[in-house]
PDB file of all heavy atoms in Angstrom:
ATOM      1  N   ASP A  11      37.744 -11.063 -16.426  1.00  0.00           N
ATOM      2  CA  ASP A  11      38.166 -10.131 -17.479  1.00  0.00           C
ATOM      3  C   ASP A  11      36.961  -9.840 -18.359  1.00  0.00           C
ATOM      4  O   ASP A  11      36.613 -10.649 -19.210  1.00  0.00           O
ATOM      5  CB  ASP A  11      39.241 -10.785 -18.374  1.00  0.00           C
ATOM      6  CG  ASP A  11      40.582 -10.870 -17.673  1.00  0.00           C
ATOM      7  OD1 ASP A  11      40.820 -10.073 -16.754  1.00  0.00           O
ATOM      8  OD2 ASP A  11      41.386 -11.745 -18.061  1.00  0.00           O
ATOM      9  N   SER A  12      36.329  -8.711 -18.137  1.00  0.00           N
ATOM     10  CA  SER A  12      35.126  -8.399 -18.916  1.00  0.00           C
ATOM     11  C   SER A  12      35.456  -7.501 -20.100  1.00  0.00           C
ATOM     12  O   SER A  12      36.358  -6.674 -20.022  1.00  0.00           O
ATOM     13  CB  SER A  12      34.089  -7.701 -18.034  1.00  0.00           C
ATOM     14  OG  SER A  12      33.541  -8.621 -17.132  1.00  0.00           O
ATOM     15  N   PHE A  13      34.693  -7.683 -21.170  1.00  0.00           N
ATOM     16  CA  PHE A  13      34.895  -6.918 -22.396  1.00  0.00           C
ATOM     17  C   PHE A  13      33.545  -6.402 -22.902  1.00  0.00           C
ATOM     18  O   PHE A  13      32.505  -6.919 -22.513  1.00  0.00           O
ATOM     19  CB  PHE A  13      35.541  -7.811 -23.467  1.00  0.00           C
ATOM     20  CG  PHE A  13      36.869  -8.356 -23.048  1.00  0.00           C
ATOM     21  CD1 PHE A  13      37.015  -9.682 -22.677  1.00  0.00           C
ATOM     22  CD2 PHE A  13      37.974  -7.511 -22.984  1.00  0.00           C
ATOM     23  CE1 PHE A  13      38.245 -10.178 -22.266  1.00  0.00           C
ATOM     24  CE2 PHE A  13      39.208  -7.996 -22.571  1.00  0.00           C
ATOM     25  CZ  PHE A  13      39.345  -9.330 -22.209  1.00  0.00           C
ATOM     26  N   PRO A  14      33.572  -5.402 -23.800  1.00  0.00           N
ATOM     27  CA  PRO A  14      32.304  -4.972 -24.394  1.00  0.00           C
ATOM     28  C   PRO A  14      31.757  -6.071 -25.300  1.00  0.00           C
ATOM     29  O   PRO A  14      32.529  -6.778 -25.943  1.00  0.00           O
ATOM     30  CB  PRO A  14      32.712  -3.744 -25.215  1.00  0.00           C
ATOM     31  CG  PRO A  14      34.153  -3.949 -25.526  1.00  0.00           C
ATOM     32  CD  PRO A  14      34.726  -4.656 -24.346  1.00  0.00           C
ATOM     33  N   VAL A  15      30.445  -6.198 -25.341  1.00  0.00           N
ATOM     34  CA  VAL A  15      29.811  -7.203 -26.200  1.00  0.00           C
ATOM     35  C   VAL A  15      28.963  -6.449 -27.226  1.00  0.00           C
ATOM     36  O   VAL A  15      27.861  -5.984 -26.902  1.00  0.00           O
ATOM     37  CB  VAL A  15      28.918  -8.154 -25.365  1.00  0.00           C
ATOM     38  CG1 VAL A  15      28.341  -9.247 -26.245  1.00  0.00           C
ATOM     39  CG2 VAL A  15      29.702  -8.741 -24.207  1.00  0.00           C
ATOM     40  N   PRO A  16      29.482  -6.281 -28.473  1.00  0.00           N
ATOM     41  CA  PRO A  16      28.812  -5.401 -29.443  1.00  0.00           C
ATOM     42  C   PRO A  16      27.337  -5.744 -29.654  1.00  0.00           C
ATOM     43  O   PRO A  16      26.501  -4.856 -29.713  1.00  0.00           O
ATOM     44  CB  PRO A  16      29.603  -5.614 -30.730  1.00  0.00           C
ATOM     45  CG  PRO A  16      30.921  -6.162 -30.309  1.00  0.00           C
ATOM     46  CD  PRO A  16      30.706  -6.881 -29.011  1.00  0.00           C
ATOM     47  N   GLN A 426      40.865   4.271 -21.307  1.00  0.00           N
ATOM     48  CA  GLN A 426      41.371   2.904 -21.514  1.00  0.00           C
ATOM     49  C   GLN A 426      42.708   2.925 -22.246  1.00  0.00           C
ATOM     50  O   GLN A 426      43.631   2.200 -21.892  1.00  0.00           O
ATOM     51  CB  GLN A 426      40.356   2.077 -22.328  1.00  0.00           C
ATOM     52  CG  GLN A 426      39.129   1.655 -21.540  1.00  0.00           C
ATOM     53  CD  GLN A 426      38.072   1.000 -22.430  1.00  0.00           C
ATOM     54  OE1 GLN A 426      37.845   1.405 -23.557  1.00  0.00           O
ATOM     55  NE2 GLN A 426      37.419  -0.024 -21.910  1.00  0.00           N
ATOM     56  N   GLN A 430      45.628   0.804 -20.620  1.00  0.00           N
ATOM     57  CA  GLN A 430      45.725  -0.610 -21.013  1.00  0.00           C
ATOM     58  C   GLN A 430      45.928  -0.706 -22.524  1.00  0.00           C
ATOM     59  O   GLN A 430      45.937   0.306 -23.214  1.00  0.00           O
ATOM     60  CB  GLN A 430      44.460  -1.367 -20.575  1.00  0.00           C
ATOM     61  CG  GLN A 430      43.202  -0.822 -21.222  1.00  0.00           C
ATOM     62  CD  GLN A 430      41.920  -1.455 -20.679  1.00  0.00           C
ATOM     63  OE1 GLN A 430      41.835  -1.813 -19.516  1.00  0.00           O
ATOM     64  NE2 GLN A 430      40.929  -1.589 -21.530  1.00  0.00           N
ATOM     65  N   GLY A 431      46.047  -1.891 -23.032  1.00  0.00           N
ATOM     66  CA  GLY A 431      46.399  -2.076 -24.443  1.00  0.00           C
ATOM     67  C   GLY A 431      45.232  -2.061 -25.410  1.00  0.00           C
ATOM     68  O   GLY A 431      45.419  -2.176 -26.609  1.00  0.00           O
ATOM     69  N   TRP A 432      44.008  -1.928 -24.901  1.00  0.00           N
ATOM     70  CA  TRP A 432      42.862  -1.917 -25.812  1.00  0.00           C
ATOM     71  C   TRP A 432      41.837  -0.891 -25.341  1.00  0.00           C
ATOM     72  O   TRP A 432      41.896  -0.430 -24.194  1.00  0.00           O
ATOM     73  CB  TRP A 432      42.210  -3.304 -25.903  1.00  0.00           C
ATOM     74  CG  TRP A 432      41.686  -3.837 -24.594  1.00  0.00           C
ATOM     75  CD1 TRP A 432      42.382  -4.560 -23.669  1.00  0.00           C
ATOM     76  CD2 TRP A 432      40.361  -3.677 -24.048  1.00  0.00           C
ATOM     77  NE1 TRP A 432      41.579  -4.865 -22.593  1.00  0.00           N
ATOM     78  CE2 TRP A 432      40.326  -4.340 -22.809  1.00  0.00           C
ATOM     79  CE3 TRP A 432      39.193  -3.046 -24.498  1.00  0.00           C
ATOM     80  CZ2 TRP A 432      39.187  -4.385 -22.002  1.00  0.00           C
ATOM     81  CZ3 TRP A 432      38.059  -3.094 -23.703  1.00  0.00           C
ATOM     82  CH2 TRP A 432      38.055  -3.766 -22.464  1.00  0.00           C
ATOM     83  N   ALA A 433      40.922  -0.548 -26.242  1.00  0.00           N
ATOM     84  CA  ALA A 433      39.863   0.396 -25.893  1.00  0.00           C
ATOM     85  C   ALA A 433      38.588   0.012 -26.645  1.00  0.00           C
ATOM     86  O   ALA A 433      38.642  -0.684 -27.661  1.00  0.00           O
ATOM     87  CB  ALA A 433      40.282   1.811 -26.257  1.00  0.00           C
ATOM     88  N   THR A 434      37.453   0.479 -26.118  1.00  0.00           N
ATOM     89  CA  THR A 434      36.158   0.194 -26.737  1.00  0.00           C
ATOM     90  C   THR A 434      35.808   1.326 -27.703  1.00  0.00           C
ATOM     91  O   THR A 434      35.771   2.485 -27.308  1.00  0.00           O
ATOM     92  CB  THR A 434      35.069   0.086 -25.654  1.00  0.00           C
ATOM     93  OG1 THR A 434      35.492  -0.884 -24.706  1.00  0.00           O
ATOM     94  CG2 THR A 434      33.739  -0.334 -26.256  1.00  0.00           C
ATOM     95  N   ASN A 435      35.557   0.969 -28.969  1.00  0.00           N
ATOM     96  CA  ASN A 435      35.277   2.007 -29.965  1.00  0.00           C
ATOM     97  C   ASN A 435      33.784   2.316 -30.030  1.00  0.00           C
ATOM     98  O   ASN A 435      32.985   1.803 -29.239  1.00  0.00           O
ATOM     99  CB  ASN A 435      35.851   1.599 -31.330  1.00  0.00           C
ATOM    100  CG  ASN A 435      35.112   0.416 -31.935  1.00  0.00           C
ATOM    101  OD1 ASN A 435      34.149  -0.106 -31.373  1.00  0.00           O
ATOM    102  ND2 ASN A 435      35.555  -0.014 -33.101  1.00  0.00           N
ATOM    103  N   TRP A 437      31.660   1.429 -32.152  1.00  0.00           N
ATOM    104  CA  TRP A 437      30.875   0.245 -32.515  1.00  0.00           C
ATOM    105  C   TRP A 437      30.795  -0.725 -31.340  1.00  0.00           C
ATOM    106  O   TRP A 437      30.375  -1.861 -31.490  1.00  0.00           O
ATOM    107  CB  TRP A 437      31.496  -0.462 -33.734  1.00  0.00           C
ATOM    108  CG  TRP A 437      31.155   0.186 -35.030  1.00  0.00           C
ATOM    109  CD1 TRP A 437      30.585   1.416 -35.210  1.00  0.00           C
ATOM    110  CD2 TRP A 437      31.319  -0.372 -36.331  1.00  0.00           C
ATOM    111  NE1 TRP A 437      30.405   1.649 -36.532  1.00  0.00           N
ATOM    112  CE2 TRP A 437      30.844   0.585 -37.251  1.00  0.00           C
ATOM    113  CE3 TRP A 437      31.832  -1.573 -36.807  1.00  0.00           C
ATOM    114  CZ2 TRP A 437      30.858   0.350 -38.632  1.00  0.00           C
ATOM    115  CZ3 TRP A 437      31.861  -1.797 -38.179  1.00  0.00           C
ATOM    116  CH2 TRP A 437      31.373  -0.842 -39.073  1.00  0.00           C
ATOM    117  N   HIS A 438      31.245  -0.300 -30.208  1.00  0.00           N
ATOM    118  CA  HIS A 438      31.232  -1.107 -28.983  1.00  0.00           C
ATOM    119  C   HIS A 438      32.054  -2.395 -29.143  1.00  0.00           C
ATOM    120  O   HIS A 438      31.716  -3.448 -28.613  1.00  0.00           O
ATOM    121  CB  HIS A 438      29.786  -1.449 -28.592  1.00  0.00           C
ATOM    122  CG  HIS A 438      29.625  -1.752 -27.130  1.00  0.00           C
ATOM    123  ND1 HIS A 438      30.018  -0.889 -26.134  1.00  0.00           N
ATOM    124  CD2 HIS A 438      29.133  -2.852 -26.474  1.00  0.00           C
ATOM    125  CE1 HIS A 438      29.766  -1.430 -24.956  1.00  0.00           C
ATOM    126  NE2 HIS A 438      29.239  -2.618 -25.127  1.00  0.00           N
ATOM    127  N   GLN A 439      33.165  -2.249 -29.922  1.00  0.00           N
ATOM    128  CA  GLN A 439      34.073  -3.396 -30.073  1.00  0.00           C
ATOM    129  C   GLN A 439      35.312  -3.158 -29.225  1.00  0.00           C
ATOM    130  O   GLN A 439      35.742  -2.016 -29.056  1.00  0.00           O
ATOM    131  CB  GLN A 439      34.547  -3.509 -31.527  1.00  0.00           C
ATOM    132  CG  GLN A 439      33.482  -3.833 -32.522  1.00  0.00           C
ATOM    133  CD  GLN A 439      34.013  -3.598 -33.930  1.00  0.00           C
ATOM    134  OE1 GLN A 439      34.642  -2.593 -34.218  1.00  0.00           O
ATOM    135  NE2 GLN A 439      33.749  -4.551 -34.801  1.00  0.00           N
ATOM    136  N   ARG A 440      35.920  -4.238 -28.785  1.00  0.00           N
ATOM    137  CA  ARG A 440      37.230  -4.147 -28.153  1.00  0.00           C
ATOM    138  C   ARG A 440      38.251  -4.028 -29.286  1.00  0.00           C
ATOM    139  O   ARG A 440      38.299  -4.885 -30.171  1.00  0.00           O
ATOM    140  CB  ARG A 440      37.472  -5.428 -27.359  1.00  0.00           C
ATOM    141  CG  ARG A 440      38.869  -5.507 -26.828  1.00  0.00           C
ATOM    142  CD  ARG A 440      39.272  -6.930 -26.516  1.00  0.00           C
ATOM    143  NE  ARG A 440      40.728  -6.970 -26.467  1.00  0.00           N
ATOM    144  CZ  ARG A 440      41.420  -7.681 -25.611  1.00  0.00           C
ATOM    145  NH1 ARG A 440      40.808  -8.457 -24.762  1.00  0.00           N
ATOM    146  NH2 ARG A 440      42.725  -7.639 -25.615  1.00  0.00           N
ATOM    147  N   VAL A 441      39.070  -2.977 -29.247  1.00  0.00           N
ATOM    148  CA  VAL A 441      40.071  -2.792 -30.304  1.00  0.00           C
ATOM    149  C   VAL A 441      41.462  -2.759 -29.670  1.00  0.00           C
ATOM    150  O   VAL A 441      41.721  -1.941 -28.778  1.00  0.00           O
ATOM    151  CB  VAL A 441      39.837  -1.463 -31.062  1.00  0.00           C
ATOM    152  CG1 VAL A 441      40.911  -1.253 -32.114  1.00  0.00           C
ATOM    153  CG2 VAL A 441      38.453  -1.441 -31.693  1.00  0.00           C
ATOM    154  N   ASP A 442      42.345  -3.648 -30.111  1.00  0.00           N
ATOM    155  CA  ASP A 442      43.721  -3.615 -29.614  1.00  0.00           C
ATOM    156  C   ASP A 442      44.450  -2.447 -30.263  1.00  0.00           C
ATOM    157  O   ASP A 442      44.317  -2.227 -31.465  1.00  0.00           O
ATOM    158  CB  ASP A 442      44.426  -4.943 -29.935  1.00  0.00           C
ATOM    159  CG  ASP A 442      43.817  -6.084 -29.131  1.00  0.00           C
ATOM    160  OD1 ASP A 442      43.471  -5.856 -27.955  1.00  0.00           O
ATOM    161  OD2 ASP A 442      43.648  -7.191 -29.682  1.00  0.00           O
ATOM    162  N   LEU A 443      45.189  -1.683 -29.472  1.00  0.00           N
ATOM    163  CA  LEU A 443      45.832  -0.465 -29.973  1.00  0.00           C
ATOM    164  C   LEU A 443      47.340  -0.640 -30.029  1.00  0.00           C
ATOM    165  O   LEU A 443      47.919  -1.313 -29.162  1.00  0.00           O
ATOM    166  CB  LEU A 443      45.507   0.698 -29.032  1.00  0.00           C
ATOM    167  CG  LEU A 443      44.019   0.995 -28.825  1.00  0.00           C
ATOM    168  CD1 LEU A 443      43.826   1.972 -27.670  1.00  0.00           C
ATOM    169  CD2 LEU A 443      43.410   1.564 -30.109  1.00  0.00           C
ATOM    170  N   PHE A 486      36.843   5.475 -33.816  1.00  0.00           N
ATOM    171  CA  PHE A 486      37.039   6.199 -32.559  1.00  0.00           C
ATOM    172  C   PHE A 486      36.736   7.695 -32.695  1.00  0.00           C
ATOM    173  O   PHE A 486      36.591   8.378 -31.699  1.00  0.00           O
ATOM    174  CB  PHE A 486      38.491   6.050 -32.061  1.00  0.00           C
ATOM    175  CG  PHE A 486      38.755   4.744 -31.379  1.00  0.00           C
ATOM    176  CD1 PHE A 486      39.533   3.769 -31.989  1.00  0.00           C
ATOM    177  CD2 PHE A 486      38.222   4.470 -30.123  1.00  0.00           C
ATOM    178  CE1 PHE A 486      39.790   2.559 -31.362  1.00  0.00           C
ATOM    179  CE2 PHE A 486      38.469   3.266 -29.490  1.00  0.00           C
ATOM    180  CZ  PHE A 486      39.257   2.302 -30.113  1.00  0.00           C
TER     181      PHE A 486
END
Side-chain angles (χ1 to χ4, degrees):
D11 286 336
S12 288
F13 300 106
V15 184
Q426 286 172 322
Q430 61 187 33
W432 60 272
T434 305
N435 69 1
W437 280 13
H438 204 55
Q439 294 167 315
R440 172 202 160 142
V441 178
D442 292 322
L443 302 169
F486 281 108

